[in-house]
Amino acid sequence: MNKAYETMRGFWLDVNNLQHKKEVPLLAERKICVAGVEMAARDTQGGIKNLMIAASSLGNASVYFENNSASGLGGFTGGAASGIVREKALRMMQAAASLAEQLEPVAVLPAQTNPENITLFAVSGEGQIYAKQLPEEQARQRENALYGFFAYSQQLLGAFRAQQEAAQTANTPAQTLQTPASQQEEKQGASQEAAATSLPENEDKTI
C-alpha cells in the first residue's frame, strides 16, 4: 500500500473529518456515518494494487486506487450536492447501516491483499470501525446476507464512471483526482474485477 493511497484511506476512516459538517446523519442502531468496500487486484507486473470505494451519510463519496503513475494514486470524488453519485452513495449507506450488525468491530481496518477477497466496512459516529472480509464470489451471490451492501458499492463505482464519461463527452473537466497515465492502467489499478458486479437499474428494488 503506497503512501498516497494510505493517506486517503485514513482520511475516510477518521470520522473526525466529518465534524466540520453540520448534522451528519447517524444511521441505524450502530449509528453509521461512513461505509465502503476495499478490494485488491494485481497489476501487469504482478504487484498488488488496492481500491477503496467509500461514502458518508451526507451523500458524498470517493473512489481511490493505487496505480503505477508518478503520483501512485487515481480516483474520483463527488456526490455532495446532487446527481447519480449522491443517489448511489446514499443507497449504499442505507444498505451498509442496515447490515452493520453483521460486521465485526475492529481496532483498525486490515489491508486487503487478496484479489479474491473484499472487505466491507462501516464506521460509527464515535469512530468505531466494523468490518468483514469475505470472498468476492460470495458477495456477488444474491442469497448472501451482505449482497445488497456490496452490490450498491459497485453501482456507486459505475456512477462515477458514467459521470466521468459524460464529462469527457461534453468536453468538460471530470471530477477526477490525479488520474493514471493511461486508460489501460486505470482499469488495472481500479476495477479490473469489480465493475461487472453493478446491478441493472431495474433491479434496485430487489435489494
Side-chain angles (χ1 to χ4, degrees):
M1 185 183 300
N2 67 41
K3 188 64 177 177
Y5 176 85
E6 185 177 6
T7 297
M8 301 316 300
R9 182 183 195 263
F11 177 88
W12 272 98
L13 294 174
D14 185 356
V15 295
N16 290 327
N17 292 315
L18 294 177
Q19 287 184 351
H20 67 288
K21 306 287 188 181
K22 294 182 179 179
E23 299 179 1
V24 176
L26 301 178
L27 308 178
E29 186 174 346
R30 283 189 160 172
K31 303 183 187 304
I32 300 303
C33 60
V34 169
V37 60
E38 186 168 52
M39 310 172 75
R42 293 195 181 277
D43 63 15
T44 55
Q45 288 76 45
I48 290 291
K49 294 291 189 293
N50 287 113
L51 161 71
M52 173 179 276
I53 305 167
S56 85
S57 56
L58 294 166
N60 60 312
S62 293
V63 175
Y64 295 109
F65 51 87
E66 295 181 285
N67 59 31
N68 294 322
S69 67
S71 68
L73 183 71
F76 316 95
T77 186
S82 62
I84 186 65
V85 169
R86 177 181 173 80
E87 175 190 338
K88 298 302 184 183
L90 291 175
R91 290 193 184 193
M92 186 190 75
M93 288 301 306
Q94 291 290 342
S98 68
L99 297 169
E101 293 291 332
Q102 300 185 48
L103 308 180
E104 297 295 328
V106 295
V108 296
L109 185 68
Q112 183 53 259
T113 59
N114 186 342
E116 295 183 359
N117 292 343
I118 65 162
T119 303
L120 296 169
F121 66 89
V123 189
S124 76
E126 296 179 347
Q128 174 62 59
I129 300 173
Y130 301 94
K132 184 174 180 63
Q133 185 173 154
L134 70 160
E136 181 180 342
E137 183 177 355
Q138 290 183 17
R140 291 175 180 268
Q141 302 302 314
R142 287 183 175 275
E143 59 270 22
N144 189 292
L146 293 167
Y147 168 78
F149 185 174
F150 180 65
Y152 275 129
S153 77
Q154 301 309 287
Q155 285 196 13
L156 177 56
L157 177 59
F160 272 116
R161 291 211 176 273
Q163 177 180 292
Q164 184 193 39
E165 289 171 4
Q168 290 174 339
T169 300
N171 197 29
T172 58
Q175 286 187 316
T176 56
L177 300 173
Q178 296 171 341
T179 54
S182 68
Q183 289 296 318
Q184 180 180 5
E185 186 175 66
E186 177 181 339
K187 291 177 182 177
Q188 292 166 348
S191 59
Q192 187 177 45
E193 301 179 6
T197 309
S198 300
L199 295 177
E201 290 299 321
N202 60 10
E203 291 190 32
D204 282 353
K205 295 181 180 179
T206 66
I207 294 175

